[in-house]
Amino acid sequence: MTGHRRKPSYRAIAEFCSRHRIFAVVGGAHRLSDGHPPHKCLYVFSDYGTLLTRYDKRFLSNSELDGWYTPGTEPVTFDVDGYRFGCAICIESQFPEVFSEYERLQVDGVLFS
């Protein structure tokens, strides 16, 4: 994700993370090309202010599927101080397969937005 142009608000979050040496997980909508609806997502910033990864919501509600968002395709994990985390968003709490998949990936916790 190097070179990814972020909005000024995300730049400010990245700078805050770097200055205070904290990680942050921030919700957003990631634009796609060719007029496709965006991904509803979580951006993960490191304690150095770098964008570590992005989780795209995989299980969407019917209204979200009706032109609002494009579903993601895979789980995302990242490590902080020896702990492995996964991410989930909103209605995904209703899908046990989200959590069993993270269990197979040996996460220590799921950050749920």
Side-chain angles (χ1 to χ4, degrees), residues 66-84:
D66 195 25
W68 283 90
Y69 294 103
T70 298
T73 58
E74 58 191 45
V76 166
T77 64
F78 61 96
D79 297 323
V80 176
D81 296 334
Y83 294 96
R84 176 167 285 174

Side-chain angles (χ1 to χ4, degrees), residues 14 17-24 45-50 52 81:
C17 288
S18 178
R19 185 170 48 253
H20 297 284
R21 288 297 200 234
I22 62 171
F23 285 76
F45 293 93
S46 79
D47 56 344
Y48 291 99
T50 57
L52 285 181
D81 296 334

Side-chain angles (χ1 to χ4, degrees), residues 33-50:
S33 61
D34 299 328
H36 295 286
H39 289 301
K40 186 177 246 184
C41 68
L42 294 173
Y43 294 104
V44 180
F45 293 93
S46 79
D47 56 344
Y48 291 99
T50 57

Side-chain angles (χ1 to χ4, degrees), residues 77-97:
T77 64
F78 61 96
D79 297 323
V80 176
D81 296 334
Y83 294 96
R84 176 167 285 174
F85 293 94
C87 296
I89 301 173
C90 191
I91 198 172
E92 291 181 320
S93 68
Q94 302 300 309
F95 295 90
E97 56 266 39

